[in-house]
Amino acid sequence: MPETTSPLSVRTTEIPPHLASWQLPPGWKWVPNGLYSGHRHAQEIVDALGRSLALVTVPDPAHAEWLFQEARELAHRNHPAIPTTYHFWTHTSDSRRGPGFLRRWIAGETVGARVRRIGVEPIPDVLRILRAVGSAVAYLHDAGDHHGAVSPDTAYVTPAGRVWVLGWQWALPSKAIPAGLQPDSAFTPMPPEWEPGVWAPTQLSDQWQLAATCFLMLTGELPPRSEIPPIRLVRPDCPANVAELLDRALSSNPSDRFHSVTSLLRALDKISASGTSGLGVEMASGEYKAVSEEARLRWATGDDFEVLASLGAGMFGSVWRVRDLTLQREVALKMLHPAVAKSDEAVARFRREAQMAARLQHPSIVPIYDWDSKAGVHWYIMELEEEGSVADLVRRSGPQPLDQIAEEVDGCLDGLKVAHDAGILHRDLKPENLLIDRYHRWRIADFGIANAMGEELAGSSGTPTFAPPEQLLGEPQGESADLFSIAAIVYFVLTGEPPFQADDSRALLAMQLSGRVNLDGFAAPVAGWLRRGLEADPDKRFTDAAAMQEAWREAVREVLADNDGIQGWLRSRVERFFKR
């Protein structure tokens, strides 16, 4: 059954009926990952160049012309938050595909889904969405058009922090939209100037919808159509100047709003440039004082990088999506927490982390580009992986079939061979540290507590859920410690749950030492591989990453040989890979 991911979208894991007769060009592949949303279905496919694309189609054949009009409009749009149309397939009698258009596949979730999942957003994240979505809407208005469905469920945020605006089927002249259809009023902000049940989009209603989306991010609810409470009343920590801006954009009388979305964004830029608490920066006695980690980073890197979004934080550092202003590319920046950076030893270890990772050159290891510091802020630059982490993948799409992960696990084991041969242990392998690039390739990242072999091999650092017993006990660790973690990650990806779960490290360790792991439901070859990888005794695990990789390939071969129900293209893909 399809999985409901939000009130406006339904995720699919099989090719839907209306695409059953389609035949892709030679070398192209279906990916069992799709989404129904707003009279559209987007199916992920991989083209002959290995790019992950979205095939956008209409389940209702009567909407074919509507789909074509949307594709034609998008083909002429050029904005970072608007996906470009690559090609339109027209249905003909001699072609087993069409109608449908191709655009970039967008992973992640909508702003609305994120708020429903984790609650209200921090102020900086709200302002980031306001800028990104507002920029796309302003671009549209400059061409004399309007969107009509700006909402928390048409603004998407990828795991790497990039913002996309969708819902473009509504951003068309009314005559192009089938009679009687309009965005769902239950989840699309309806401006007060519209009569109930009436959809009458204008540029000023787009502005109200944009502000209403921010209102939801701040409060968890869409604003009422009348008597909208002041932002500061429902979100007291919102800076006064930001609240005033949003209150104006939410005015019931359209003429009281900003003249345009461009004017709104200019007002926001003035707030950001003023050095007030809206940005998290204060000037005291002529000295810079950062009251937020983001403000500190912006001040230190402003000449070289534009900070775009936070990607997460750990015990020792935080990761940010930034734009390299010199090379004009987006990269990831890992920054040491200011409190940790007060220790010279911590800074030295942080720099060594970057140096060790930079020595490793492999397709399954995230490359490191540079290391730098300024006024007590220390960071290094690495490649930005657009699809987030393996943890994001499981959270977003649930447990993964063996066929989909076989090649990626093999690649990670190959990357570990390179690291171990260079004398480097990772010691903190977990789903969050396996990142996914836009080609779905898994890549090992964050050698945050990695050590050159022979240095500080004892210690209980690492993430307990995926750490081996010897690490939890503070005993010396060798290569087999990383192999245990890889086996635990594979178990997690295949089932959606870690192999050992307990409330504290002591109980977790007891489960590991007793070997209490549930392998029911796994094919025998994979169960055997997992059992050996998760052995409590390091000497009973695989001897090294090469042996574990060869055993993995053999297990996958046996499962494929016994599973006649696997789709032909999946079988051939994996078999070609494992014949190398």
Side-chain angles (χ1 to χ4, degrees):
M1 293 292 294
E3 174 194 354
T4 301
T5 58
S6 82
L8 291 182
S9 60
V10 178
R11 189 171 298 281
T12 58
T13 56
E14 298 180 354
I15 306 301
H18 74 280
L19 294 179
S21 63
W22 278 56
Q23 184 177 35
L24 295 178
W28 293 48
K29 305 176 182 67
W30 296 103
V31 177
N33 188 22
L35 195 71
Y36 283 107
S37 181
H39 306 283
R40 296 290 186 270
H41 181 267
Q43 182 68 43
E44 186 177 6
I45 60 176
V46 175
D47 70 3
L49 298 177
R51 296 180 300 178
S52 182
L53 303 177
L55 169 60
V56 182
T57 57
V58 284
D60 187 346
H63 294 165
E65 178 60 25
W66 183 20
L67 179 72
F68 175 74
Q69 293 297 333
E70 176 190 358
R72 186 170 65 176
E73 289 293 321
L74 283 176
H76 295 278
R77 305 291 184 200
N78 183 20
H79 187 275
I82 302 176
T84 303
T85 296
Y86 297 134
H87 182 69
F88 188 89
W89 277 321
T90 303
H91 180 71
T92 61
S93 58
D94 59 347
S95 173
R96 293 181 59 186
R97 53 179 174 267
F101 69 85
L102 299 171
R103 61 161 170 79
R104 179 173 178 165
W105 175 259
I106 298 173
E109 62 186 337
T110 67
V111 167
R114 179 177 171 85
V115 171
R116 288 186 286 271
R117 180 172 62 85
I118 65 173
V120 297
E121 298 277 8
I123 304 298
D125 288 351
V126 176
L127 299 185
R128 178 169 62 89
I129 296 297
L130 176 58
R131 288 190 183 95
V133 177
S135 175
V137 173
Y139 167 84
L140 190 66
H141 290 179
D142 287 344
D145 300 320
H146 51 70
H147 190 283
V150 179
S151 79
D153 287 284
T154 55
Y156 279 73
V157 181
T158 72
R162 183 166 184 178
V163 178
W164 293 93
V165 179
L166 297 183
W168 296 102
Q169 63 268 37
W170 306 112
L172 297 171
S174 58
K175 62 182 179 180
I177 300 173
L181 296 184
Q182 65 182 51
D184 190 332
S185 60
F187 306 104
T188 301
M190 295 293 170
E193 64 265 27
W194 294 356
E195 294 294 330
V198 174
W199 179 55
T202 65
Q203 293 188 1
L204 287 175
S205 70
D206 280 354
Q207 180 184 151
W208 191 92
Q209 289 181 328
L210 174 63
T213 297
C214 295
F215 188 98
L216 177 133
M217 295 180 70
L218 291 168
T219 69
E221 299 179 358
L222 288 174
R225 289 172 57 89
S226 61
E227 300 182 358
I228 302 172
I231 294 293
R232 293 270 283 185
L233 181 64
V234 291
R235 186 68 184 265
D237 65 324
C238 183
N241 42 18
V242 174
E244 291 171 3
L245 179 148
L246 292 174
D247 288 339
R248 180 178 174 184
L250 286 169
S251 297
S252 297
N253 185 349
S255 63
D256 291 336
R257 299 170 195 160
F258 289 93
H259 174 70
S260 64
V261 171
T262 299
S263 299
L264 184 156
L265 295 178
R266 286 174 179 167
L268 181 61
D269 288 340
K270 290 180 181 178
I271 292 174
S272 300
S274 66
T276 67
S277 58
L279 183 63
V281 176
E282 297 177 352
M283 298 297 292
S285 304
E287 295 182 359
Y288 171 85
K289 176 185 177 184
V291 294
S292 76
E293 191 161 300
E294 178 178 357
R296 183 183 180 91
L297 178 63
R298 288 182 183 277
W299 176 78
T301 65
D303 293 338
D304 302 305
F305 299 98
E306 176 188 0
V307 179
L308 302 175
S310 170
L311 297 180
M315 184 179 299
F316 301 106
S318 55
V319 183
W320 302 80
R321 178 169 166 259
V322 301
R323 179 178 290 109
D324 184 332
L325 299 178
T326 301
L327 298 178
Q328 289 297 305
R329 63 178 178 180
E330 292 186 8
V331 293
L333 180 151
K334 184 172 182 181
M335 168 192 179
L336 197 63
H337 285 320
V340 179
K342 294 178 181 179
S343 165
D344 292 339
E345 180 182 356
V347 172
R349 288 172 62 89
F350 185 68
R351 183 168 188 173
R352 185 178 63 182
E353 169 189 344
Q355 291 172 334
M356 287 192 299
R359 284 161 48 190
L360 304 175
Q361 302 295 321
H362 190 276
S364 293
I365 296 177
V366 177
I368 302 297
Y369 297 144
D370 194 16
W371 184 93
D372 206 349
S373 64
K374 179 179 180 181
V377 181
H378 306 271
W379 69 87
Y380 66 74
I381 303 298
M382 57 186 173
E383 184 175 284
L384 178 68
E385 309 304 346
E386 290 284 353
E387 299 294 309
S389 68
V390 168
D392 294 324
L393 172 67
V394 174
R395 177 187 55 77
R396 184 172 66 237
S397 303
Q400 301 295 295
L402 177 66
D403 318 86
Q404 294 296 309
I405 71 165
E407 183 175 342
E408 309 314 324
V409 173
D410 187 278
C412 289
L413 288 168
D414 206 55
L416 274 184
K417 286 196 305 183
V418 171
H420 292 172
D421 288 346
I424 297 173
L425 297 175
H426 191 289
R427 300 181 70 224
D428 193 24
L429 284 170
K430 55 187 176 181
E432 290 80 4
N433 284 343
L434 294 185
L435 304 184
I436 307 175
D437 67 16
R438 65 170 303 187
Y439 303 106
H440 299 288
R441 181 173 54 192
W442 294 6
R443 314 188 80 182
I444 304 171
D446 198 357
F447 285 78
I449 58 172
N451 291 282
M453 289 183 183
E455 297 181 18
E456 304 174 38
L457 292 182
S460 57
S461 54
T463 303
T465 305
F466 297 94
E470 63 268 27
Q471 192 165 3
L472 298 181
L473 289 168
E475 297 175 348
Q477 300 131 52
E479 295 180 19
S480 60
D482 284 345
L483 305 187
F484 179 98
S485 298
I486 284 288
I489 292 170
V490 172
Y491 186 104
F492 169 77
V493 176
L494 291 173
T495 66
E497 302 287 344
F500 305 102
Q501 299 184 72
D503 294 334
D504 55 57
S505 297
R506 183 175 298 179
L508 184 71
L509 178 60
M511 293 183 66
Q512 291 179 345
L513 294 176
S514 66
R516 298 201 306 266
V517 57
N518 182 10
L519 296 175
D520 296 342
F522 290 100
V526 175
W529 184 87
L530 287 169
R531 184 177 294 106
R532 185 173 178 186
L534 296 171
E535 281 282 356
D537 185 349
D539 293 335
K540 294 182 179 180
R541 296 176 204 150
F542 297 98
T543 54
D544 53 32
M548 192 175 195
Q549 180 186 40
E550 183 55 38
W552 173 253
R553 293 180 175 181
E554 183 58 33
V556 172
R557 286 193 193 100
E558 290 185 38
V559 173
L560 287 178
D562 293 339
N563 190 347
D564 294 331
I566 294 177
Q567 298 180 50
W569 72 268
L570 281 172
R571 180 195 298 273
S572 61
R573 176 190 181 196
V574 178
E575 287 182 344
R576 281 199 307 270
F577 179 80
F578 287 115
K579 285 179 180 177
R580 297 187 310 177

